[in-house]
PDB file of all heavy atoms in Angstrom:
ATOM      1  N   GLU W  79      -5.255  -1.586  62.461  1.00  0.00           N
ATOM      2  CA  GLU W  79      -4.730  -2.234  61.241  1.00  0.00           C
ATOM      3  C   GLU W  79      -5.461  -3.541  60.935  1.00  0.00           C
ATOM      4  O   GLU W  79      -5.820  -4.305  61.875  1.00  0.00           O
ATOM      5  CB  GLU W  79      -3.279  -2.559  61.466  1.00  0.00           C
ATOM      6  CG  GLU W  79      -2.467  -2.833  60.207  1.00  0.00           C
ATOM      7  CD  GLU W  79      -1.055  -3.150  60.410  1.00  0.00           C
ATOM      8  OE1 GLU W  79      -0.745  -4.084  61.172  1.00  0.00           O
ATOM      9  OE2 GLU W  79      -0.228  -2.460  59.789  1.00  0.00           O
ATOM     10  N   ALA W  81      -6.198  -7.256  59.824  1.00  0.00           N
ATOM     11  CA  ALA W  81      -5.611  -8.576  59.893  1.00  0.00           C
ATOM     12  C   ALA W  81      -6.363  -9.601  59.020  1.00  0.00           C
ATOM     13  O   ALA W  81      -5.746 -10.483  58.404  1.00  0.00           O
ATOM     14  CB  ALA W  81      -5.494  -9.046  61.294  1.00  0.00           C
ATOM     15  N   ILE W 134      -7.512 -13.573  53.975  1.00  0.00           N
ATOM     16  CA  ILE W 134      -8.824 -13.386  53.360  1.00  0.00           C
ATOM     17  C   ILE W 134      -9.515 -14.769  53.383  1.00  0.00           C
ATOM     18  O   ILE W 134      -8.960 -15.809  52.983  1.00  0.00           O
ATOM     19  CB  ILE W 134      -8.662 -12.883  51.901  1.00  0.00           C
ATOM     20  CG1 ILE W 134      -7.968 -11.501  51.888  1.00  0.00           C
ATOM     21  CG2 ILE W 134     -10.009 -12.777  51.203  1.00  0.00           C
ATOM     22  CD1 ILE W 134      -7.593 -10.969  50.519  1.00  0.00           C
ATOM     23  N   GLU W 144     -19.944 -29.787  44.875  1.00  0.00           N
ATOM     24  CA  GLU W 144     -20.894 -30.776  44.369  1.00  0.00           C
ATOM     25  C   GLU W 144     -22.292 -30.145  44.397  1.00  0.00           C
ATOM     26  O   GLU W 144     -22.815 -29.811  45.434  1.00  0.00           O
ATOM     27  CB  GLU W 144     -20.957 -31.963  45.414  1.00  0.00           C
ATOM     28  CG  GLU W 144     -21.859 -33.069  44.986  1.00  0.00           C
ATOM     29  CD  GLU W 144     -21.857 -34.235  45.986  1.00  0.00           C
ATOM     30  OE1 GLU W 144     -21.254 -34.095  47.052  1.00  0.00           O
ATOM     31  OE2 GLU W 144     -22.512 -35.207  45.696  1.00  0.00           O
ATOM     32  N   TYR W 241       0.538 -21.543  56.688  1.00  0.00           N
ATOM     33  CA  TYR W 241       1.109 -22.210  55.492  1.00  0.00           C
ATOM     34  C   TYR W 241       0.049 -22.773  54.583  1.00  0.00           C
ATOM     35  O   TYR W 241       0.292 -23.539  53.650  1.00  0.00           O
ATOM     36  CB  TYR W 241       2.049 -23.295  55.957  1.00  0.00           C
ATOM     37  CG  TYR W 241       3.014 -23.823  54.888  1.00  0.00           C
ATOM     38  CD1 TYR W 241       3.910 -22.935  54.261  1.00  0.00           C
ATOM     39  CD2 TYR W 241       3.068 -25.186  54.468  1.00  0.00           C
ATOM     40  CE1 TYR W 241       4.810 -23.385  53.296  1.00  0.00           C
ATOM     41  CE2 TYR W 241       3.893 -25.573  53.488  1.00  0.00           C
ATOM     42  CZ  TYR W 241       4.803 -24.720  52.906  1.00  0.00           C
ATOM     43  OH  TYR W 241       5.664 -25.133  51.997  1.00  0.00           O
TER      44      TYR W 241
END
Side-chain angles (χ1 to χ4, degrees):
E79 199 180 56
I134 298 173
E144 183 182 7
Y241 198 58

